[in-house]
Every structure is written in C-alpha cells, then in structure tokens.
Amino acid sequence: MRIGAWKVALRIARRDALRAKGRSALILAMIALPVLGVTGADVVHRSGQLTPAERVERVVGGADALVTALNPGQGVEQAPVAEDGAFVVQSRTEQQPTPEQLKGASTDPATLVGSLLPPGSTLTPVRTGPETGATSPEGLVRTLTTEADLGDPVWHGRLNLVKGRAPGAPHELAVTQAFLDHSGLPLGGTTTVQGLEQTTFTITGVVEHPDDLGKVELVARPGELLDQLAAAADPADPAAKQAQGGHGSWLVHLPGGVALDWARVQLFNAHGYTLTARSVAIDPPPSRAVPYYRDATVYHDPASGNSTKVVVATVTGMGLLEVALLAGPAFAVGARRSRRQLALLGAAGGRRGHIGAVVLGGGLVLGLAGAAVGVVVGTAVVAVLQPVIEEVGGARFGHFALPPLDLLAIAGVGLCTALLAAALPAWQAARRSVTAGLTGRDTVRAPSRLVTVVGVALILGGGAIAMYGAGAVSHGRTVVSTYDARTLIVLGGSVAAELGLLACTPVLVALFGRFAGRLPLGPRLALRDSARNRSRTAPAVAAVMAAVAGAVAIGVYSTSTDAENRRDYRPQAPYGAVQLTSHRDGPQAAKLPAEVEKELTGLGPRADLGQVVYKFCDNCSSDVRLKGTVNLRMLSAPSHLATGDATLLHNLFDVRDPAAEQALAAGKLLVFDRTLIGADGKAVLELRGGGGGPLQPGQIPKPDLQEVPVDAVLVDNPDAARFAQGLMPATALAKLGLASAPQGAVWRPATPPDRKAQQRAAAAAAQLDHYSELDVERGYQSKGDALTLALSGFAGLVVLGAAGIATGLAAADSRQDQATLAAVGAPPRIRRTMAGLQCALIALLGALLGAANGFVPAVGLLKSRATGFGSKPMILSAPWGELLLVVLVLPVVAGLLAALFTRSRVPLARRLS
C-alpha cells in the first residue's frame, strides 16, 4: 500500500475511535494497564541500581575511604569495594610471614592505619557493639548498637538523620525507624539498655541506613554506650565473649588534592586490612589486576537463580497474550459494527488490503495512545509512591532513573500488543465479502480441523518439552541474554502448551454449543450465540485461561515450595515448648526460671536442661558426643548429650515411655538413634582434650581423644534425635569423670504463650542474665500464603473482568437480535439469563483450561529445582482452596453479576432491510 492510502486508513480509524468513545476507552485502558505496570517495575529496578559513586557513598559516607582490620597479620584479597567481597589468604605451614604481615600483627591497628595513609589524613572510628536488649512498653526488644557523631558530615550517606535532631547531650541517642516500630516507643521516648539499667536514654532522632531500612539499631554518642556495655559484661560468660568480637574500622578523610589508588589498597591488603576508597570505586582497576576475582571460589548454584528467572519469564510470556486476547474481541466487535462502512469502502474500489488497513489502523492509533498513557502514568505512580516502594524494598533509590531506551521498548511492546490484537479482526474484515457486509449477514464457519490437530499436538508436545527441559538439560550454559538452555526450554514448552489450548478453544466453545438443543430457551440462546460468535467468545475464554494459568503456575510453585520448606524445617523443640537458654550457674541460675514462671502462667512442670561436658583442666572443657555417623540435615542443634530427668524427657524430647523413664532413673544413658549403639548394647562417648598438657611426676599422659563405652538403652525416636543424641541423668556423670553444664530450662504448656507475653518474660529474665534468651517453638511459619492469595485475587479480577468485557461486547453486538426477541414477545428475563450464562460459560471454560495449563510450568520449575546441586526430592502441592474459588465459585459469581447488571428491556429501534 502507498503512504497516501495509509494516511486515509489512519484518518478513518481515528474518526472511528473518537466516534465509539466507550469501546476506544476500554481498549486504551487494557493496553495502558500492562504498560503502566511494566514501566513502574522498570523504573523501580533501574532506580535501585546504584552507580559506583552511589554505591561507595553508602559505604564511606562523606569520607574518602573506609579501612577495616579484617585479619591483621594475614594476607587479604578484596574486590574494589571490599563490602562486595573479601577473604583472608591462608598461608601454607612452611611459608614464612612477610614483613607486612609481621608488622600488621605486632602494630596497634590505629597506629598502623595512620602510617599507611597519606600525611594529614583524619581517622574517625566506626564502632559497632553487640546485639543487646532495650526496654519497651511490652518488655524487651533485641537491637544492634553503634556509636556515631551524627553532627559530623562524615557520616552522611552511610548513616542519615531523617527525623528529629542528633543526640547532643549525655544519655541521648538516635534509633532507626525499625526500632521504633518493634518497640512501640515514640520519638522523644525513653529506654534502657541491658547491662546499663541505671541509665535512662532519651530518643532524640531517627536515623536510617540507606541500603538497609529494616535494621533495628541504637546509635549513641561516641564514648557513651559501647565501653560501658563492655565494662558491665561478665568476662566469664561465653555469650559476652562472642558479643565483644568484631573488626575495627575507620572512616578516612584525606587532605585536599590527595586520592588513593589501587596500589594503596593492595598495600593495606598485605597487612591484613581492607580499604574501600571512593576514588578506586569510581575508577576501578581492570579485572585482571584484581587478585580477588581470580582466586575467589564462592560457589553459586545456578538452579537457585534460574528458578526465579523461569518463574518470571514463564509468567511474563503467558501474560503477554493477555491484552491481545482481551482487546481482540473489542476490535472484532468494532469491525463488525463498521462492516457496512467497510463494505462501502470495498464497493467504491478499495482492495482487501485497504479494508484491513482501516481496522489495523485502529490498533495503531489506540496502541500509540495507550502506550503513551501507560508510560507517563507508570512513571508518575512510581514518583508519587517512591517512599512507600523504598520502605517495602528495604533500601533507598540511588536516583530516580528514566532510561529512555527501556521506556521506548516498553511502549513498543504495548503498540505491538495492540497491533497483534487488531490483526485477526483486520484479516477477518478483509476476507468478508462486500455483499455480506452491505446486507449485515455473516456466515458461520465450522472450526478448522487442522488448527485443532495442531493445538492438540502443541499441548502434548509442549508439556513433554517442558518436563524434558526441567529434568534432562544441564544448568548454567547461557544461550540468550542471561537465560540458559533449561530456562528457555521450560519457557518454550509452557508457552507452546498454552498456545495449543488457545488453538483448541474454538472447538471447545463449539462443542458446548451442541448441547444447547436440550436446554431451556435462555440457556439455549446463550450457548448458541457464544458458539456462533466464536471470534468474540474464544479470545475472552483464552484471556481468562492465560490469567488463571499464570496465577496457578505461581500458586502451585509457591505452595509446593512452602511444603518443601515445611519438610526441611528443623524445630528447636516440640511444638509449643517454651525454652529458656542461659549458661548461668549457682544461685542466680535458680532465679531465672522463677522469673519466667511469674510472667507466663500455666507453663506446667519445669525441666532443667544441661549438657554433658568433659573438664580436662581448670576452665577447660569440651562437649561430649557419641561416636557414630550423624545426619546433620536432621539435627536442630550441634551433636551433644543432654542431661536431665524424666520431665526433660517429656518436655524436650516428647517421649512418654515408662521403660525409658525407669532406665533414666536407674542412671542409664538413653540414645535416640539406633546407629549410635553397637551390637553389644553399648554406646561410645568421645572425650576430646587433655592431651599435650603439663604432667606431674609419675602421671601418665592422656590422649587427646578418649573413647569410653557405656551401657545404653535405645529409645528409637527420630524426632527426639533432632534435639540431642541422648539423655543422661546428672547423677551418673561423676563416676565417668564428666560434668553437666547448665543450658536453661524447658516447659510444655497446653497452649503456646502469645508474643507480647513472651516479650515481657524475656525482659524479666534479662534483668538477671543479660545474655539469656527465651524462645517459644511455634512450628513452621508459612510465608507463601499471602503471595498465593494475592495471585488468586488477581486471577479472580481478570476472570470477572474478561468475562464481563466479553459479555458486554456480546450484548452490544447482539442488540438487534435482542430487539427482535423483545418484539416477538420473549419475556424480559431472557436477556438477563443470556447475559449471565454467557458470562459464566466464558469464566468457567477459561478457568478450567487455565488451571490445567498452569500445572505445566509449575511442575517443570519444581522438577528443575529438584535436579539442582544438593537438591531434595520434589513435593507437588497446590492451593486447593484458592483453585476451587477461581475455578468454580468465580464463574458463578460472574454469571450472577452479569445477570444483575444487565437491563431486562432493550429499547426497540427501527430496522432497515
């Protein structure tokens, strides 16, 4: 066609779009909505991608560099930004330390850092303290601690003050918003810190880490918190020793005109320090000059990333058909309503290409408008909701990104979708004879057998290909962009199966029409009208199918993943058990459980818990274990032997066996795993330590590993074996030269206490032991229900929307037939009955097909993950409640709504013949 002919076709299409404003607005909205969603997702993704300058600012703040004492005295290799990766180089046994390593091990860290930096550099310590507890209205909140002078601009970008003021007086501190949310304290409230109960701190400001908005943290002025916490800690407490660990760090402010290079970074690495310099991060060295990239051996299982890619790509590939399938019937109805005008164009000498160009021009006009509206509105929505999006994502945007190439590509996809939706109606309009168009009589053709056969072949072949790709194709070999062969094969097979169902949809609709003769008048007319106008009904059915298939695919995948996580979950105690963990000994240890019992009523009998240890010297001990092979995947705690009585056997191990209780009372060792007992009925205790120590005259040296066989009683209980290898009474340890280290207490209440009561009890226990922990075993907490419910809700909206759109188009298209029925005396309810049944038919057929097709990619994804590195057998589970809601309930609701909102009477119009 010539350019002039296209101009005329576009002018006619534009006028038709303006004339039929309702239908045009409907098509424009259907095109704009997915463009809006993809635009918003792309802008959010691009805005979250940090530039090198933004990335290093979140590490060094307003300073020029950050130095961390990773392991002084050992060689270190790092990425240009050390927070992206760094590790200690292990020296060989025979290798002598380098002069830099000797200097790093023997020199004070702050002094060494100052000597390695250019003269005139200023150091600001970055001090992070232990995780501790802070009081709240409900009890105690676990929080991180740090110190910083928030008035110093060196912290800006790394730690920002966003509300209130910086602490400026003694006993003032700032907190993160997550701390306020968890504690329920307001800005200006007061709190105390575990170990410093005599000091009350006032909250004056709210700070945030731009890359971790969910961090729960207290920020005190330098010198007001961490030293006091260290002084109050008990040096003998193992939890206190662990809390005091960490690496020293310093923010570096360089003199004017001075910059750090990669050679300076390597100099720090040679001494055992990492250095993140702003100048190096912005202008990094080539990869071949970075030893870290050559020597880092971090394993990444491609299956984990590919599963997510397959989910996104598969559902996106299915969803791309959605708009075309929904907008296609609207274009078809528009072409049918304009068939007389198109026929006049053909009668005046226009060729078939001209007629098709007019309909296709409608897709071009509305596609351009919808794509433009979608891009503009999507960008505006992200701009308005930016704070909310950042809060949900847990990190601030680096900048508000508007990538022009991405936005043009998204708009192009929207335009192509509109053209695809208008292509079939344009082809049908071009094939319609001029005579049929002028008389308004269209012939009904039978479904193509060839298309049906091809559809069945695609269904069978696509499903087989997806299953083959999921199980037989290896991971990691990139074929297109970042997608490997397995991803593309599963995607291709799933899309092929859906295309096959699309091809079979007209036949299924026609089959339903054959049952119309046995039905009453209303249902008979509804089914026959749907079967006669398959070009309008089939795309609506396919649209419902595509939406339900995508929702079912993710729903089955999420539910199955949740079932696998439930299988792999390792409880710390039986369900409902309340476990107090404390290593205190002496009179203070007896007060802790009493405080918990005051706060939590109805706990039941208390069981004191201990652990068998071997004390081979003063203040030296090691855990005692049973000799044998241990399945680490099944353990909830490291291998050990517990000490306690029959109450502990009930509360912690959930074993109620009179024979086992009698054996325990007799001083016997109970073993819960049959592989740890030999044929002679004995278990072997492994005692480690004691070798190589000083000897007294006449003393025989002890081996470093001793094996002591003891009589044991088997209580074959795999569930109990999760919590400990065995159980011994404390009275039987002395004759074996062993001791019991206190570990706390366990209760088994009838119902688990709520979280607020748990928080109050934890606060009461922390008053006596700052490092105690109170846990309630609440079982596996599912995380996939919200996602599945949201997807089912989305599918439900599409089911109702697509069925409603198709019903509305059918009502508009058959207005003359409805007028004829009214004229010959049909009761008014016939129109409502037809609309309701047509809507229910479209929703039911599409939902059934979509539910069946959605299992194909879901099973492929699960099978793909089950063949990854270290994977476990696949579990196939489905959200049956949501499926029944979408497949059975929603079609009925859609039919009732369509019947309710359809007018019983239609105004009679003059008909021209």
Side-chain angles (χ1 to χ4, degrees):
M1 287 177 58
R2 297 180 180 179
I3 300 297
W6 273 109
K7 290 182 179 179
V8 174
L10 291 176
R11 189 182 304 119
I12 296 174
R14 180 177 59 85
R15 290 176 178 174
D16 284 345
L18 293 175
R19 186 180 299 113
K21 293 182 176 61
R23 186 175 66 248
S24 299
L26 178 65
I27 297 174
L28 190 144
M30 286 189 291
I31 295 169
L33 282 176
V35 173
L36 183 153
V38 177
T39 298
D42 183 73
V43 171
V44 170
H45 174 67
R46 294 295 189 182
S47 299
Q49 290 181 324
L50 304 180
T51 65
E54 294 166 347
R55 174 73 179 96
V56 73
E57 183 182 20
R58 297 190 177 184
V59 176
V60 305
D64 297 299
L66 174 69
V67 179
T68 301
L70 184 61
N71 197 334
Q74 293 286 333
V76 171
E77 292 182 3
Q78 68 165 81
V81 177
E83 285 65 25
D84 292 338
F87 63 87
V88 178
V89 179
Q90 300 297 328
S91 302
R92 299 177 182 176
T93 306
E94 67 278 3
Q95 184 178 357
Q96 296 297 322
T98 63
E100 291 83 0
Q101 293 174 352
L102 292 175
K103 184 178 180 180
S106 59
T107 308
D108 176 70
T111 304
L112 178 63
V113 171
S115 66
L116 296 179
L117 289 169
S121 301
T122 303
L123 298 181
T124 301
V126 179
R127 301 192 63 192
T128 57
E131 181 181 355
T132 184
T135 56
S136 70
E138 295 296 338
L140 199 68
V141 175
R142 303 301 298 179
T143 177
L144 300 174
T145 54
T146 188
E147 290 181 349
D149 182 6
L150 297 177
D152 190 342
V154 76
W155 294 97
H156 183 71
R158 175 184 174 94
L159 186 63
N160 299 328
L161 181 69
V162 295
K163 192 185 301 182
R165 62 175 178 84
H171 304 155
E172 290 184 347
L173 49 75
V175 299
T176 60
Q177 185 62 46
F179 176 88
L180 295 181
D181 296 338
H182 283 69
S183 65
L185 291 170
L187 184 63
T190 59
T191 184
T192 60
V193 180
Q194 275 186 297
L196 306 176
E197 285 80 3
Q198 303 304 320
T199 304
T200 300
F201 291 91
T202 302
I203 302 172
T204 64
V206 178
V207 296
E208 70 177 21
H209 295 265
D211 56 347
D212 189 3
L213 301 180
K215 198 170 190 178
V216 180
E217 189 174 51
L218 296 175
V219 183
R221 299 198 312 162
E224 288 197 354
L225 181 62
L226 301 187
D227 292 337
Q228 290 81 346
L229 284 175
D234 184 0
D237 196 318
K241 295 179 181 179
Q242 183 179 2
Q244 294 172 3
H247 305 296
S249 300
W250 299 265
L251 290 172
V252 180
H253 185 72
L254 299 173
V258 179
L260 302 177
D261 56 9
W262 181 244
R264 184 83 59 162
V265 174
Q266 292 183 307
L267 176 62
F268 273 88
N269 293 163
H271 290 79
Y273 292 72
T274 62
L275 173 63
T276 298
R278 186 186 302 271
S279 54
V280 174
I282 294 176
D283 185 18
S287 299
R288 62 179 179 275
V290 182
Y292 172 83
Y293 292 145
R294 179 189 67 238
D295 300 334
T297 56
V298 179
Y299 176 78
H300 174 69
D301 181 16
S304 60
N306 276 332
S307 294
T308 303
K309 290 178 183 178
V310 177
V311 171
V312 176
T314 301
V315 175
T316 302
M318 290 181 171
L320 284 177
L321 299 174
E322 192 71 34
V323 175
L325 294 172
L326 284 173
F331 281 114
V333 170
R336 191 175 295 113
R337 298 289 296 274
S338 303
R339 58 180 176 262
R340 181 175 178 83
Q341 174 185 322
L342 297 175
L344 289 174
L345 179 62
R351 295 193 299 271
R352 289 187 173 184
H354 296 145
I355 297 174
V358 172
V359 181
L360 198 62
L364 181 61
V365 170
L366 294 176
L368 285 173
V373 170
V375 169
V376 172
V377 176
T379 304
V381 168
V382 174
V384 172
L385 299 180
Q386 178 177 344
V388 178
I389 296 171
E390 291 173 337
E391 292 290 341
V392 173
R396 297 294 181 197
F397 289 169
H399 59 286
F400 192 79
L402 294 176
L405 294 180
D406 288 10
L407 298 181
L408 286 175
I410 293 170
V413 170
L415 175 60
C416 292
T417 302
L419 293 175
L420 179 63
L424 182 59
W427 179 72
Q428 292 174 338
R431 292 185 60 198
R432 184 181 294 117
S433 67
V434 174
T435 304
L438 292 174
T439 58
R441 298 192 181 99
D442 291 332
T443 58
V444 179
R445 300 183 180 181
S448 172
R449 293 184 178 180
L450 178 61
V451 173
T452 304
V453 172
V454 172
V456 173
L458 285 175
I459 294 172
L460 299 177
I465 290 173
M467 295 300 104
Y468 170 80
V473 179
S474 60
H475 283 297
R477 189 172 299 172
T478 301
V479 177
V480 177
S481 182
T482 58
Y483 298 108
D484 61 7
R486 172 179 288 193
T487 304
L488 294 176
I489 290 177
V490 173
L491 170 63
S494 302
V495 173
E498 180 166 355
L499 290 175
L501 282 175
L502 293 180
C504 294
T505 302
V507 175
L508 295 175
V509 173
L511 289 176
F512 272 89
R514 293 189 177 182
F515 297 99
R518 304 176 183 178
L519 300 176
L521 177 61
R524 182 164 69 248
L525 292 176
L527 286 179
R528 285 180 175 175
D529 182 72
S530 299
R532 185 181 301 110
N533 296 281
R534 289 187 298 274
S535 61
R536 182 188 66 218
T537 307
V541 171
V544 174
M545 181 191 71
V548 173
V552 169
I554 295 238
V556 172
Y557 181 84
S558 300
T559 306
S560 300
T561 300
D562 189 71
E564 293 176 358
N565 293 337
R566 186 182 299 275
R567 174 195 63 190
D568 300 335
Y569 174 72
R570 293 181 294 183
Q572 301 300 312
Y575 177 77
V578 178
Q579 187 166 3
L580 172 67
T581 302
S582 175
H583 304 285
R584 294 275 185 178
D585 201 356
Q588 198 79 350
K591 297 180 181 179
L592 274 172
E595 287 295 326
V596 174
E597 291 173 337
K598 287 181 183 178
E599 297 293 337
L600 302 178
T601 58
L603 289 178
R606 183 186 84 210
D608 293 324
L609 173 64
Q611 181 174 335
V612 181
V613 295
Y614 171 50
K615 294 185 176 181
F616 49 89
C617 68
D618 293 338
N619 297 323
C620 303
S621 64
S622 62
D623 298 338
V624 177
R625 298 180 177 87
L626 294 180
K627 183 179 181 180
T629 304
V630 177
N631 185 2
L632 297 179
R633 287 187 174 184
M634 296 299 296
L635 295 181
S636 299
S639 300
H640 69 281
L641 284 176
T643 62
D645 54 13
T647 307
L648 184 67
L649 185 66
H650 302 160
N651 291 0
L652 180 60
F653 299 98
D654 199 20
V655 173
R656 300 183 182 275
D657 185 351
E661 296 175 13
Q662 293 176 4
L664 189 65
K668 296 294 184 66
L669 166 66
L670 302 184
V671 178
F672 304 110
D673 186 351
R674 63 172 57 251
T675 62
L676 301 178
I677 295 184
D680 56 355
K682 293 182 179 293
V684 179
L685 305 179
E686 291 185 339
L687 315 182
R688 296 185 180 274
L695 300 176
Q696 300 295 330
Q699 184 178 3
I700 301 175
K702 296 180 180 179
D704 191 60
L705 173 62
Q706 302 178 56
E707 296 184 352
V708 180
V710 295
D711 293 331
V713 175
L714 175 64
V715 181
D716 195 4
N717 191 321
D719 292 335
R722 295 177 176 178
F723 311 124
Q725 291 180 312
L727 176 64
M728 292 185 71
T731 55
L733 299 179
K735 62 182 179 181
L736 297 175
L738 304 177
S740 175
Q743 302 295 311
V746 183
W747 296 266
R748 284 292 300 277
T751 57
D754 59 44
R755 297 185 185 275
K756 289 186 177 181
Q758 178 187 351
Q759 197 177 67
R760 289 194 298 269
Q767 299 295 325
L768 300 176
D769 182 2
H770 302 321
Y771 299 98
S772 64
E773 295 182 6
L774 186 68
D775 299 309
V776 178
E777 179 55 55
R778 304 182 187 277
Y780 174 73
Q781 302 296 312
S782 176
K783 299 179 181 179
D785 291 340
L787 175 62
T788 304
L789 185 61
L791 289 169
S792 300
F794 167 75
L797 290 177
V798 173
V799 168
L800 295 175
I805 289 170
T807 304
L809 293 174
D813 192 30
S814 60
R815 188 172 299 168
Q816 292 183 352
D817 294 339
Q818 300 290 342
T820 302
L821 284 173
V824 298
R829 67 174 181 276
I830 290 295
R831 192 164 188 265
R832 289 182 180 272
T833 304
M834 289 183 61
L837 290 176
Q838 281 181 329
C839 189
L841 172 66
I842 292 170
L844 178 62
L845 185 57
L848 289 173
L849 295 176
N853 189 50
F855 274 86
V856 176
V859 174
L861 298 176
L862 294 169
K863 189 176 180 182
S864 172
R865 187 175 60 186
T867 57
F869 178 80
S871 59
K872 294 184 178 181
M874 177 188 76
I875 294 180
L876 182 62
S877 181
W880 297 112
E882 288 81 358
L883 285 180
L884 290 175
L885 177 67
V886 172
V887 174
L888 297 180
V889 177
L890 279 180
V892 176
V893 173
L896 293 176
L897 290 176
L900 178 64
F901 289 101
T902 300
R903 291 186 300 176
S904 299
R905 300 182 181 276
V906 62
L908 297 180
R910 227 168 125 188
R911 300 188 61 185
L912 301 176
S913 58

